[in-house]
Amino acid sequence: MPNKFFPVSIDLNNKNILVIGAGKIALRKVKTLLDYNCNITVITKEISEEEFLELEKENKIKILKNQEFEEKFLENTFLVVSATDNKELNDKISKLCMSKNILVNNITSQDNMNLRFMSILSNDDIQISITANGNPKKAVEVKNKIKEFFEKML
């Protein structure tokens, strides 16, 4: 039976976040996390998205380049994003994190994780999070419809 995820908001202020991988999806996750004042470290063998280097230059993230994942990187980590292009590695990292009660998002699975990112619509007054049970395209589609509705009302 697939996991059932409970929607919740978490304070990430000054929390240590580990992102494993530096591709397109990892970049999208990092850009989302940057809005929440957390400490982001990226571990990667190679950087696929050049924007990671800009974020590092601006001191927004720390990158450990040419680096393989090792269990020691989980020490003092609150949340992990396992975002490599290797499903077996992502699954291994997910299982390890869950065994240590570390929140983990696995980009190559809908169930082998204990945390999902939601599509977020926010302004000064409200924040709405949308999930579509692991279908990010559908969540973005719903978010855009809600955004259109609010724009018509204002």
Side-chain angles (χ1 to χ4, degrees), residues 6-139:
F6 178 75
V8 65
S9 296
I10 298 174
D11 180 4
L12 294 179
N13 191 46
N14 291 317
K15 298 284 193 295
N16 295 325
I17 312 296
L18 178 65
V19 177
I20 304 151
K24 187 168 82 172
I25 296 172
L27 180 61
R28 191 173 73 230
K29 305 276 184 175
V30 165
K31 288 166 100 177
T32 297
L33 290 165
L34 284 172
D35 288 338
Y36 297 93
N37 195 37
C38 49
N39 309 313
I40 302 170
T41 300
V42 176
I43 296 172
T44 187
K45 287 190 281 186
E46 60 184 65
I47 297 172
S48 303
E49 296 293 318
E50 293 298 313
E51 195 170 341
F52 276 105
L53 298 173
E54 292 170 32
L55 292 171
E56 181 184 43
K57 214 178 275 183
E58 295 167 0
N59 291 318
K60 293 183 177 180
I61 65 172
K62 177 179 166 186
I63 302 176
L64 304 178
K65 301 172 186 90
N66 303 313
Q67 184 66 58
E68 298 273 348
F69 170 77
E70 296 178 41
E71 187 174 344
K72 69 180 182 182
F73 293 121
L74 297 179
E75 195 171 308
N76 297 316
T77 298
F78 182 75
L79 185 155
V80 172
V81 176
S82 190
T84 75
D85 58 3
N86 181 329
K87 181 176 178 10
E88 291 77 26
L89 177 59
N90 289 341
D91 287 344
K92 177 184 168 189
I93 292 166
S94 267
K95 287 176 183 164
L96 183 59
C97 289
M98 288 187 290
S99 75
K100 295 176 174 290
N101 290 318
I102 297 171
L103 295 173
V104 60
N105 175 255
N106 177 350
I107 70 157
T108 54
S109 175
Q110 289 190 349
D111 295 309
N112 188 11
M113 69 182 97
N114 58 15
L115 172 102
R116 282 190 179 147
F117 277 57
M118 296 187 190
S119 187
I120 301 167
L121 176 64
S122 64
N123 66 21
D124 292 339
D125 300 324
I126 63 167
Q127 183 179 52
I128 300 171
S129 302
I130 300 111
T131 183
N133 293 326
N135 183 338
K137 289 180 182 174
K138 189 173 187 178

